[in-house]
PDB file of all heavy atoms in Angstrom:
ATOM      1  N   VAL K   1      -6.260  -2.982   6.217  1.00  0.00           N
ATOM      2  CA  VAL K   1      -5.955  -4.319   5.682  1.00  0.00           C
ATOM      3  C   VAL K   1      -4.779  -4.292   4.715  1.00  0.00           C
ATOM      4  O   VAL K   1      -3.849  -5.106   4.825  1.00  0.00           O
ATOM      5  CB  VAL K   1      -7.202  -4.922   4.996  1.00  0.00           C
ATOM      6  CG1 VAL K   1      -6.874  -6.291   4.400  1.00  0.00           C
ATOM      7  CG2 VAL K   1      -8.358  -5.020   5.987  1.00  0.00           C
ATOM      8  N   VAL K   2      -4.813  -3.355   3.773  1.00  0.00           N
ATOM      9  CA  VAL K   2      -3.758  -3.299   2.754  1.00  0.00           C
ATOM     10  C   VAL K   2      -2.364  -3.138   3.360  1.00  0.00           C
ATOM     11  O   VAL K   2      -1.402  -3.795   2.913  1.00  0.00           O
ATOM     12  CB  VAL K   2      -4.067  -2.183   1.728  1.00  0.00           C
ATOM     13  CG1 VAL K   2      -2.892  -1.998   0.761  1.00  0.00           C
ATOM     14  CG2 VAL K   2      -5.339  -2.509   0.961  1.00  0.00           C
ATOM     15  N   PRO K   3      -2.171  -2.288   4.383  1.00  0.00           N
ATOM     16  CA  PRO K   3      -0.829  -2.176   4.986  1.00  0.00           C
ATOM     17  C   PRO K   3      -0.291  -3.502   5.534  1.00  0.00           C
ATOM     18  O   PRO K   3       0.927  -3.730   5.498  1.00  0.00           O
ATOM     19  CB  PRO K   3      -1.038  -1.165   6.120  1.00  0.00           C
ATOM     20  CG  PRO K   3      -2.191  -0.333   5.691  1.00  0.00           C
ATOM     21  CD  PRO K   3      -3.079  -1.279   4.958  1.00  0.00           C
ATOM     22  N   GLN K   4      -1.170  -4.377   6.030  1.00  0.00           N
ATOM     23  CA  GLN K   4      -0.724  -5.684   6.529  1.00  0.00           C
ATOM     24  C   GLN K   4      -0.177  -6.541   5.396  1.00  0.00           C
ATOM     25  O   GLN K   4       0.843  -7.211   5.550  1.00  0.00           O
ATOM     26  CB  GLN K   4      -1.898  -6.403   7.218  1.00  0.00           C
ATOM     27  CG  GLN K   4      -2.473  -5.654   8.410  1.00  0.00           C
ATOM     28  CD  GLN K   4      -1.451  -5.420   9.501  1.00  0.00           C
ATOM     29  OE1 GLN K   4      -0.618  -6.284   9.782  1.00  0.00           O
ATOM     30  NE2 GLN K   4      -1.474  -4.228  10.101  1.00  0.00           N
ATOM     31  N   PHE K   5      -0.858  -6.479   4.263  1.00  0.00           N
ATOM     32  CA  PHE K   5      -0.354  -7.201   3.099  1.00  0.00           C
ATOM     33  C   PHE K   5       0.959  -6.587   2.610  1.00  0.00           C
ATOM     34  O   PHE K   5       1.865  -7.303   2.163  1.00  0.00           O
ATOM     35  CB  PHE K   5      -1.388  -7.162   1.958  1.00  0.00           C
ATOM     36  CG  PHE K   5      -2.468  -8.185   2.095  1.00  0.00           C
ATOM     37  CD1 PHE K   5      -3.638  -7.907   2.778  1.00  0.00           C
ATOM     38  CD2 PHE K   5      -2.322  -9.444   1.530  1.00  0.00           C
ATOM     39  CE1 PHE K   5      -4.637  -8.843   2.899  1.00  0.00           C
ATOM     40  CE2 PHE K   5      -3.322 -10.388   1.641  1.00  0.00           C
ATOM     41  CZ  PHE K   5      -4.490 -10.093   2.334  1.00  0.00           C
ATOM     42  N   ALA K   6       1.067  -5.263   2.699  1.00  0.00           N
ATOM     43  CA  ALA K   6       2.284  -4.585   2.246  1.00  0.00           C
ATOM     44  C   ALA K   6       3.495  -5.047   3.045  1.00  0.00           C
ATOM     45  O   ALA K   6       4.602  -5.227   2.489  1.00  0.00           O
ATOM     46  CB  ALA K   6       2.111  -3.072   2.361  1.00  0.00           C
ATOM     47  N   GLU K   7       3.334  -5.253   4.353  1.00  0.00           N
ATOM     48  CA  GLU K   7       4.426  -5.749   5.189  1.00  0.00           C
ATOM     49  C   GLU K   7       4.868  -7.130   4.730  1.00  0.00           C
ATOM     50  O   GLU K   7       6.069  -7.451   4.706  1.00  0.00           O
ATOM     51  CB  GLU K   7       3.965  -5.803   6.652  1.00  0.00           C
ATOM     52  CG  GLU K   7       3.811  -4.443   7.315  1.00  0.00           C
ATOM     53  CD  GLU K   7       5.140  -3.741   7.479  1.00  0.00           C
ATOM     54  OE1 GLU K   7       6.179  -4.427   7.657  1.00  0.00           O
ATOM     55  OE2 GLU K   7       5.166  -2.487   7.396  1.00  0.00           O
ATOM     56  N   THR K   8       3.911  -7.954   4.351  1.00  0.00           N
ATOM     57  CA  THR K   8       4.230  -9.308   3.875  1.00  0.00           C
ATOM     58  C   THR K   8       4.966  -9.257   2.539  1.00  0.00           C
ATOM     59  O   THR K   8       5.917 -10.017   2.299  1.00  0.00           O
ATOM     60  CB  THR K   8       2.937 -10.128   3.736  1.00  0.00           C
ATOM     61  OG1 THR K   8       2.226 -10.098   4.979  1.00  0.00           O
ATOM     62  CG2 THR K   8       3.241 -11.564   3.346  1.00  0.00           C
ATOM     63  N   PHE K   9       4.519  -8.328   1.649  1.00  0.00           N
ATOM     64  CA  PHE K   9       5.105  -8.257   0.316  1.00  0.00           C
ATOM     65  C   PHE K   9       6.568  -7.797   0.352  1.00  0.00           C
ATOM     66  O   PHE K   9       7.343  -8.112  -0.561  1.00  0.00           O
ATOM     67  CB  PHE K   9       4.298  -7.297  -0.574  1.00  0.00           C
ATOM     68  CG  PHE K   9       2.892  -7.751  -0.823  1.00  0.00           C
ATOM     69  CD1 PHE K   9       1.896  -6.838  -1.160  1.00  0.00           C
ATOM     70  CD2 PHE K   9       2.540  -9.095  -0.715  1.00  0.00           C
ATOM     71  CE1 PHE K   9       0.602  -7.253  -1.383  1.00  0.00           C
ATOM     72  CE2 PHE K   9       1.249  -9.510  -0.937  1.00  0.00           C
ATOM     73  CZ  PHE K   9       0.280  -8.592  -1.269  1.00  0.00           C
ATOM     74  N   ARG K  10       6.979  -7.050   1.369  1.00  0.00           N
ATOM     75  CA  ARG K  10       8.349  -6.542   1.446  1.00  0.00           C
ATOM     76  C   ARG K  10       9.362  -7.686   1.562  1.00  0.00           C
ATOM     77  O   ARG K  10      10.523  -7.518   1.221  1.00  0.00           O
ATOM     78  CB  ARG K  10       8.494  -5.599   2.639  1.00  0.00           C
ATOM     79  CG  ARG K  10       7.832  -4.244   2.441  1.00  0.00           C
ATOM     80  CD  ARG K  10       8.266  -3.241   3.501  1.00  0.00           C
ATOM     81  NE  ARG K  10       7.583  -1.963   3.330  1.00  0.00           N
ATOM     82  CZ  ARG K  10       6.488  -1.605   3.985  1.00  0.00           C
ATOM     83  NH1 ARG K  10       5.956  -2.447   4.869  1.00  0.00           N
ATOM     84  NH2 ARG K  10       5.928  -0.433   3.769  1.00  0.00           N
ATOM     85  N   ASN K  11       8.949  -8.826   2.065  1.00  0.00           N
ATOM     86  CA  ASN K  11       9.847  -9.967   2.245  1.00  0.00           C
ATOM     87  C   ASN K  11       9.937 -10.861   1.004  1.00  0.00           C
ATOM     88  O   ASN K  11      10.683 -11.827   1.005  1.00  0.00           O
ATOM     89  CB  ASN K  11       9.380 -10.821   3.439  1.00  0.00           C
ATOM     90  CG  ASN K  11       9.354 -10.013   4.733  1.00  0.00           C
ATOM     91  OD1 ASN K  11      10.212  -9.170   4.948  1.00  0.00           O
ATOM     92  ND2 ASN K  11       8.361 -10.280   5.583  1.00  0.00           N
ATOM     93  N   PHE K  12       9.162 -10.547  -0.020  1.00  0.00           N
ATOM     94  CA  PHE K  12       9.169 -11.399  -1.213  1.00  0.00           C
ATOM     95  C   PHE K  12      10.453 -11.242  -2.017  1.00  0.00           C
ATOM     96  O   PHE K  12      10.961 -12.202  -2.591  1.00  0.00           O
ATOM     97  CB  PHE K  12       7.968 -11.059  -2.106  1.00  0.00           C
ATOM     98  CG  PHE K  12       6.688 -11.707  -1.634  1.00  0.00           C
ATOM     99  CD1 PHE K  12       6.620 -12.342  -0.404  1.00  0.00           C
ATOM    100  CD2 PHE K  12       5.554 -11.692  -2.440  1.00  0.00           C
ATOM    101  CE1 PHE K  12       5.445 -12.932   0.034  1.00  0.00           C
ATOM    102  CE2 PHE K  12       4.374 -12.282  -2.006  1.00  0.00           C
ATOM    103  CZ  PHE K  12       4.324 -12.901  -0.766  1.00  0.00           C
ATOM    104  N   GLY K  13      10.934 -10.007  -2.093  1.00  0.00           N
ATOM    105  CA  GLY K  13      12.158  -9.761  -2.845  1.00  0.00           C
ATOM    106  C   GLY K  13      11.981  -9.739  -4.341  1.00  0.00           C
ATOM    107  O   GLY K  13      12.953  -9.651  -5.077  1.00  0.00           O
ATOM    108  N   SER K  14      10.753  -9.856  -4.838  1.00  0.00           N
ATOM    109  CA  SER K  14      10.501  -9.824  -6.279  1.00  0.00           C
ATOM    110  C   SER K  14       9.587  -8.652  -6.610  1.00  0.00           C
ATOM    111  O   SER K  14       8.960  -8.061  -5.721  1.00  0.00           O
ATOM    112  CB  SER K  14       9.839 -11.130  -6.739  1.00  0.00           C
ATOM    113  OG  SER K  14       8.612 -11.327  -6.053  1.00  0.00           O
ATOM    114  N   ASP K  15       9.538  -8.329  -7.894  1.00  0.00           N
ATOM    115  CA  ASP K  15       8.698  -7.206  -8.322  1.00  0.00           C
ATOM    116  C   ASP K  15       7.218  -7.548  -8.151  1.00  0.00           C
ATOM    117  O   ASP K  15       6.785  -8.673  -8.455  1.00  0.00           O
ATOM    118  CB  ASP K  15       8.972  -6.873  -9.792  1.00  0.00           C
ATOM    119  CG  ASP K  15      10.386  -6.352  -9.981  1.00  0.00           C
ATOM    120  OD1 ASP K  15      10.929  -5.791  -8.998  1.00  0.00           O
ATOM    121  OD2 ASP K  15      10.922  -6.511 -11.091  1.00  0.00           O
ATOM    122  N   LEU K  16       6.473  -6.561  -7.686  1.00  0.00           N
ATOM    123  CA  LEU K  16       5.041  -6.750  -7.488  1.00  0.00           C
ATOM    124  C   LEU K  16       4.290  -6.406  -8.770  1.00  0.00           C
ATOM    125  O   LEU K  16       4.749  -5.582  -9.575  1.00  0.00           O
ATOM    126  CB  LEU K  16       4.541  -5.856  -6.352  1.00  0.00           C
ATOM    127  CG  LEU K  16       5.104  -6.151  -4.953  1.00  0.00           C
ATOM    128  CD1 LEU K  16       4.626  -5.101  -3.960  1.00  0.00           C
ATOM    129  CD2 LEU K  16       4.683  -7.543  -4.491  1.00  0.00           C
ATOM    130  N   PRO K  17       3.121  -7.010  -8.973  1.00  0.00           N
ATOM    131  CA  PRO K  17       2.301  -6.674 -10.156  1.00  0.00           C
ATOM    132  C   PRO K  17       1.913  -5.190 -10.147  1.00  0.00           C
ATOM    133  O   PRO K  17       1.781  -4.560  -9.087  1.00  0.00           O
ATOM    134  CB  PRO K  17       1.069  -7.570  -9.998  1.00  0.00           C
ATOM    135  CG  PRO K  17       1.482  -8.669  -9.075  1.00  0.00           C
ATOM    136  CD  PRO K  17       2.512  -8.086  -8.169  1.00  0.00           C
ATOM    137  N   ALA K  18       1.693  -4.660 -11.334  1.00  0.00           N
ATOM    138  CA  ALA K  18       1.367  -3.237 -11.468  1.00  0.00           C
ATOM    139  C   ALA K  18       0.075  -2.881 -10.730  1.00  0.00           C
ATOM    140  O   ALA K  18      -0.030  -1.826 -10.085  1.00  0.00           O
ATOM    141  CB  ALA K  18       1.243  -2.870 -12.951  1.00  0.00           C
ATOM    142  N   PHE K  19      -0.907  -3.778 -10.807  1.00  0.00           N
ATOM    143  CA  PHE K  19      -2.189  -3.513 -10.145  1.00  0.00           C
ATOM    144  C   PHE K  19      -2.017  -3.446  -8.626  1.00  0.00           C
ATOM    145  O   PHE K  19      -2.594  -2.589  -7.952  1.00  0.00           O
ATOM    146  CB  PHE K  19      -3.201  -4.600 -10.527  1.00  0.00           C
ATOM    147  CG  PHE K  19      -4.592  -4.341 -10.024  1.00  0.00           C
ATOM    148  CD1 PHE K  19      -5.156  -3.070 -10.078  1.00  0.00           C
ATOM    149  CD2 PHE K  19      -5.347  -5.357  -9.469  1.00  0.00           C
ATOM    150  CE1 PHE K  19      -6.427  -2.827  -9.610  1.00  0.00           C
ATOM    151  CE2 PHE K  19      -6.624  -5.133  -9.000  1.00  0.00           C
ATOM    152  CZ  PHE K  19      -7.174  -3.862  -9.069  1.00  0.00           C
ATOM    153  N   THR K  20      -1.179  -4.342  -8.088  1.00  0.00           N
ATOM    154  CA  THR K  20      -0.923  -4.346  -6.640  1.00  0.00           C
ATOM    155  C   THR K  20      -0.192  -3.073  -6.223  1.00  0.00           C
ATOM    156  O   THR K  20      -0.506  -2.465  -5.189  1.00  0.00           O
ATOM    157  CB  THR K  20      -0.095  -5.579  -6.257  1.00  0.00           C
ATOM    158  OG1 THR K  20      -0.790  -6.751  -6.673  1.00  0.00           O
ATOM    159  CG2 THR K  20       0.140  -5.631  -4.760  1.00  0.00           C
ATOM    160  N   LEU K  21       0.812  -2.653  -7.025  1.00  0.00           N
ATOM    161  CA  LEU K  21       1.523  -1.407  -6.725  1.00  0.00           C
ATOM    162  C   LEU K  21       0.583  -0.200  -6.754  1.00  0.00           C
ATOM    163  O   LEU K  21       0.702   0.713  -5.929  1.00  0.00           O
ATOM    164  CB  LEU K  21       2.656  -1.200  -7.745  1.00  0.00           C
ATOM    165  CG  LEU K  21       3.867  -2.122  -7.597  1.00  0.00           C
ATOM    166  CD1 LEU K  21       4.815  -1.952  -8.775  1.00  0.00           C
ATOM    167  CD2 LEU K  21       4.586  -1.847  -6.275  1.00  0.00           C
ATOM    168  N   PHE K  22      -0.341  -0.215  -7.711  1.00  0.00           N
ATOM    169  CA  PHE K  22      -1.319   0.867  -7.818  1.00  0.00           C
ATOM    170  C   PHE K  22      -2.170   0.966  -6.551  1.00  0.00           C
ATOM    171  O   PHE K  22      -2.364   2.048  -5.988  1.00  0.00           O
ATOM    172  CB  PHE K  22      -2.202   0.634  -9.050  1.00  0.00           C
ATOM    173  CG  PHE K  22      -3.339   1.613  -9.183  1.00  0.00           C
ATOM    174  CD1 PHE K  22      -3.105   2.936  -9.504  1.00  0.00           C
ATOM    175  CD2 PHE K  22      -4.654   1.195  -8.979  1.00  0.00           C
ATOM    176  CE1 PHE K  22      -4.154   3.837  -9.626  1.00  0.00           C
ATOM    177  CE2 PHE K  22      -5.706   2.088  -9.097  1.00  0.00           C
ATOM    178  CZ  PHE K  22      -5.458   3.413  -9.418  1.00  0.00           C
ATOM    179  N   VAL K  23      -2.662  -0.181  -6.055  1.00  0.00           N
ATOM    180  CA  VAL K  23      -3.481  -0.208  -4.843  1.00  0.00           C
ATOM    181  C   VAL K  23      -2.660   0.205  -3.621  1.00  0.00           C
ATOM    182  O   VAL K  23      -3.135   0.928  -2.740  1.00  0.00           O
ATOM    183  CB  VAL K  23      -4.111  -1.601  -4.643  1.00  0.00           C
ATOM    184  CG1 VAL K  23      -4.786  -1.710  -3.280  1.00  0.00           C
ATOM    185  CG2 VAL K  23      -5.110  -1.896  -5.753  1.00  0.00           C
ATOM    186  N   LEU K  24      -1.385  -0.239  -3.563  1.00  0.00           N
ATOM    187  CA  LEU K  24      -0.524   0.138  -2.436  1.00  0.00           C
ATOM    188  C   LEU K  24      -0.261   1.638  -2.408  1.00  0.00           C
ATOM    189  O   LEU K  24      -0.221   2.253  -1.329  1.00  0.00           O
ATOM    190  CB  LEU K  24       0.808  -0.623  -2.529  1.00  0.00           C
ATOM    191  CG  LEU K  24       0.747  -2.120  -2.208  1.00  0.00           C
ATOM    192  CD1 LEU K  24       2.104  -2.761  -2.448  1.00  0.00           C
ATOM    193  CD2 LEU K  24       0.305  -2.345  -0.769  1.00  0.00           C
ATOM    194  N   ASN K  25      -0.087   2.234  -3.574  1.00  0.00           N
ATOM    195  CA  ASN K  25       0.114   3.688  -3.639  1.00  0.00           C
ATOM    196  C   ASN K  25      -1.131   4.442  -3.153  1.00  0.00           C
ATOM    197  O   ASN K  25      -1.030   5.444  -2.437  1.00  0.00           O
ATOM    198  CB  ASN K  25       0.462   4.115  -5.060  1.00  0.00           C
ATOM    199  CG  ASN K  25       1.853   3.669  -5.469  1.00  0.00           C
ATOM    200  OD1 ASN K  25       2.736   3.516  -4.615  1.00  0.00           O
ATOM    201  ND2 ASN K  25       2.068   3.444  -6.765  1.00  0.00           N
ATOM    202  N   ILE K  26      -2.313   3.942  -3.562  1.00  0.00           N
ATOM    203  CA  ILE K  26      -3.563   4.550  -3.083  1.00  0.00           C
ATOM    204  C   ILE K  26      -3.661   4.418  -1.568  1.00  0.00           C
ATOM    205  O   ILE K  26      -4.039   5.361  -0.864  1.00  0.00           O
ATOM    206  CB  ILE K  26      -4.785   3.901  -3.770  1.00  0.00           C
ATOM    207  CG1 ILE K  26      -4.795   4.204  -5.260  1.00  0.00           C
ATOM    208  CG2 ILE K  26      -6.083   4.390  -3.121  1.00  0.00           C
ATOM    209  CD1 ILE K  26      -5.907   3.516  -6.022  1.00  0.00           C
ATOM    210  N   SER K  27      -3.304   3.238  -1.049  1.00  0.00           N
ATOM    211  CA  SER K  27      -3.363   2.990   0.393  1.00  0.00           C
ATOM    212  C   SER K  27      -2.430   3.930   1.152  1.00  0.00           C
ATOM    213  O   SER K  27      -2.813   4.513   2.176  1.00  0.00           O
ATOM    214  CB  SER K  27      -2.996   1.543   0.696  1.00  0.00           C
ATOM    215  OG  SER K  27      -2.937   1.310   2.083  1.00  0.00           O
ATOM    216  N   ASN K  28      -1.219   4.101   0.636  1.00  0.00           N
ATOM    217  CA  ASN K  28      -0.262   5.010   1.286  1.00  0.00           C
ATOM    218  C   ASN K  28      -0.775   6.455   1.286  1.00  0.00           C
ATOM    219  O   ASN K  28      -0.620   7.178   2.279  1.00  0.00           O
ATOM    220  CB  ASN K  28       1.094   4.942   0.576  1.00  0.00           C
ATOM    221  CG  ASN K  28       1.778   3.594   0.781  1.00  0.00           C
ATOM    222  OD1 ASN K  28       1.550   2.921   1.787  1.00  0.00           O
ATOM    223  ND2 ASN K  28       2.589   3.186  -0.195  1.00  0.00           N
ATOM    224  N   PHE K  29      -1.369   6.846   0.173  1.00  0.00           N
ATOM    225  CA  PHE K  29      -1.910   8.208   0.074  1.00  0.00           C
ATOM    226  C   PHE K  29      -3.041   8.416   1.075  1.00  0.00           C
ATOM    227  O   PHE K  29      -3.098   9.441   1.766  1.00  0.00           O
ATOM    228  CB  PHE K  29      -2.404   8.455  -1.348  1.00  0.00           C
ATOM    229  CG  PHE K  29      -3.015   9.816  -1.547  1.00  0.00           C
ATOM    230  CD1 PHE K  29      -2.222  10.924  -1.736  1.00  0.00           C
ATOM    231  CD2 PHE K  29      -4.405   9.974  -1.529  1.00  0.00           C
ATOM    232  CE1 PHE K  29      -2.783  12.181  -1.907  1.00  0.00           C
ATOM    233  CE2 PHE K  29      -4.980  11.214  -1.697  1.00  0.00           C
ATOM    234  CZ  PHE K  29      -4.164  12.332  -1.893  1.00  0.00           C
ATOM    235  N   VAL K  30      -3.957   7.428   1.145  1.00  0.00           N
ATOM    236  CA  VAL K  30      -5.101   7.542   2.062  1.00  0.00           C
ATOM    237  C   VAL K  30      -4.626   7.547   3.514  1.00  0.00           C
ATOM    238  O   VAL K  30      -5.137   8.318   4.343  1.00  0.00           O
ATOM    239  CB  VAL K  30      -6.111   6.400   1.814  1.00  0.00           C
ATOM    240  CG1 VAL K  30      -7.201   6.394   2.882  1.00  0.00           C
ATOM    241  CG2 VAL K  30      -6.737   6.532   0.430  1.00  0.00           C
ATOM    242  N   GLN K  31      -3.643   6.695   3.851  1.00  0.00           N
ATOM    243  CA  GLN K  31      -3.122   6.671   5.226  1.00  0.00           C
ATOM    244  C   GLN K  31      -2.489   8.006   5.613  1.00  0.00           C
ATOM    245  O   GLN K  31      -2.629   8.466   6.748  1.00  0.00           O
ATOM    246  CB  GLN K  31      -2.073   5.564   5.360  1.00  0.00           C
ATOM    247  CG  GLN K  31      -2.646   4.160   5.332  1.00  0.00           C
ATOM    248  CD  GLN K  31      -1.532   3.132   5.431  1.00  0.00           C
ATOM    249  OE1 GLN K  31      -0.933   2.970   6.478  1.00  0.00           O
ATOM    250  NE2 GLN K  31      -1.243   2.459   4.334  1.00  0.00           N
ATOM    251  N   LYS K  32      -1.803   8.619   4.676  1.00  0.00           N
ATOM    252  CA  LYS K  32      -1.091   9.862   4.968  1.00  0.00           C
ATOM    253  C   LYS K  32      -2.021  11.070   5.033  1.00  0.00           C
ATOM    254  O   LYS K  32      -1.850  11.958   5.865  1.00  0.00           O
ATOM    255  CB  LYS K  32      -0.018  10.077   3.901  1.00  0.00           C
ATOM    256  CG  LYS K  32       0.892  11.272   4.185  1.00  0.00           C
ATOM    257  CD  LYS K  32       1.979  11.389   3.112  1.00  0.00           C
ATOM    258  CE  LYS K  32       2.895  12.575   3.405  1.00  0.00           C
ATOM    259  NZ  LYS K  32       3.946  12.701   2.362  1.00  0.00           N
ATOM    260  N   TRP K  33      -3.062  11.072   4.159  1.00  0.00           N
ATOM    261  CA  TRP K  33      -3.899  12.263   4.020  1.00  0.00           C
ATOM    262  C   TRP K  33      -5.370  12.024   4.372  1.00  0.00           C
ATOM    263  O   TRP K  33      -6.220  12.840   3.990  1.00  0.00           O
ATOM    264  CB  TRP K  33      -3.815  12.789   2.574  1.00  0.00           C
ATOM    265  CG  TRP K  33      -2.432  13.161   2.145  1.00  0.00           C
ATOM    266  CD1 TRP K  33      -1.604  12.433   1.355  1.00  0.00           C
ATOM    267  CD2 TRP K  33      -1.719  14.349   2.501  1.00  0.00           C
ATOM    268  NE1 TRP K  33      -0.410  13.079   1.174  1.00  0.00           N
ATOM    269  CE2 TRP K  33      -0.449  14.280   1.873  1.00  0.00           C
ATOM    270  CE3 TRP K  33      -2.021  15.469   3.282  1.00  0.00           C
ATOM    271  CZ2 TRP K  33       0.503  15.270   2.011  1.00  0.00           C
ATOM    272  CZ3 TRP K  33      -1.070  16.453   3.413  1.00  0.00           C
ATOM    273  CH2 TRP K  33       0.168  16.362   2.780  1.00  0.00           C
ATOM    274  N   TRP K  34      -5.689  10.956   5.106  1.00  0.00           N
ATOM    275  CA  TRP K  34      -7.096  10.634   5.359  1.00  0.00           C
ATOM    276  C   TRP K  34      -7.831  11.767   6.079  1.00  0.00           C
ATOM    277  O   TRP K  34      -9.003  12.037   5.787  1.00  0.00           O
ATOM    278  CB  TRP K  34      -7.215   9.334   6.152  1.00  0.00           C
ATOM    279  CG  TRP K  34      -6.758   9.440   7.593  1.00  0.00           C
ATOM    280  CD1 TRP K  34      -5.524   9.229   8.086  1.00  0.00           C
ATOM    281  CD2 TRP K  34      -7.584   9.819   8.712  1.00  0.00           C
ATOM    282  NE1 TRP K  34      -5.490   9.440   9.438  1.00  0.00           N
ATOM    283  CE2 TRP K  34      -6.749   9.799   9.846  1.00  0.00           C
ATOM    284  CE3 TRP K  34      -8.923  10.171   8.872  1.00  0.00           C
ATOM    285  CZ2 TRP K  34      -7.223  10.117  11.118  1.00  0.00           C
ATOM    286  CZ3 TRP K  34      -9.396  10.476  10.136  1.00  0.00           C
ATOM    287  CH2 TRP K  34      -8.553  10.450  11.240  1.00  0.00           C
ATOM    288  N   PHE K  35      -7.141  12.434   7.000  1.00  0.00           N
ATOM    289  CA  PHE K  35      -7.795  13.506   7.752  1.00  0.00           C
ATOM    290  C   PHE K  35      -8.119  14.687   6.840  1.00  0.00           C
ATOM    291  O   PHE K  35      -9.203  15.293   6.936  1.00  0.00           O
ATOM    292  CB  PHE K  35      -6.891  13.957   8.901  1.00  0.00           C
ATOM    293  CG  PHE K  35      -7.564  14.882   9.872  1.00  0.00           C
ATOM    294  CD1 PHE K  35      -8.525  14.406  10.758  1.00  0.00           C
ATOM    295  CD2 PHE K  35      -7.263  16.233   9.895  1.00  0.00           C
ATOM    296  CE1 PHE K  35      -9.158  15.248  11.648  1.00  0.00           C
ATOM    297  CE2 PHE K  35      -7.881  17.094  10.786  1.00  0.00           C
ATOM    298  CZ  PHE K  35      -8.838  16.602  11.671  1.00  0.00           C
ATOM    299  N   VAL K  36      -7.186  15.003   5.944  1.00  0.00           N
ATOM    300  CA  VAL K  36      -7.413  16.093   4.988  1.00  0.00           C
ATOM    301  C   VAL K  36      -8.559  15.739   4.039  1.00  0.00           C
ATOM    302  O   VAL K  36      -9.411  16.577   3.720  1.00  0.00           O
ATOM    303  CB  VAL K  36      -6.122  16.387   4.191  1.00  0.00           C
ATOM    304  CG1 VAL K  36      -6.383  17.450   3.122  1.00  0.00           C
ATOM    305  CG2 VAL K  36      -5.010  16.827   5.127  1.00  0.00           C
TER     306      VAL K  36
END
C-alpha cells in the first residue's frame, strides 16, 4: 500500500512531512530486505 502512495507523492513537488518520510523509509527498507 505505502509504495502506491509514494508514487502519488512524487508528483506533489513539495516537501513531505517528517512522519511520512519516516514511514516511506521503513517501507523501502522492508521492500528491499523482506526476504532477509
Side-chain angles (χ1 to χ4, degrees):
V1 178
V2 173
Q4 300 300 322
F5 278 90
E7 288 293 329
T8 306
F9 296 156
R10 287 193 182 96
N11 301 323
F12 279 10
S14 59
D15 294 334
L16 296 174
F19 186 42
T20 303
L21 288 172
F22 174 70
V23 171
L24 288 175
N25 289 332
I26 294 176
S27 175
N28 292 333
F29 178 80
V30 172
Q31 289 178 72
K32 186 177 181 180
W33 300 102
W34 70 270
F35 190 72
V36 176

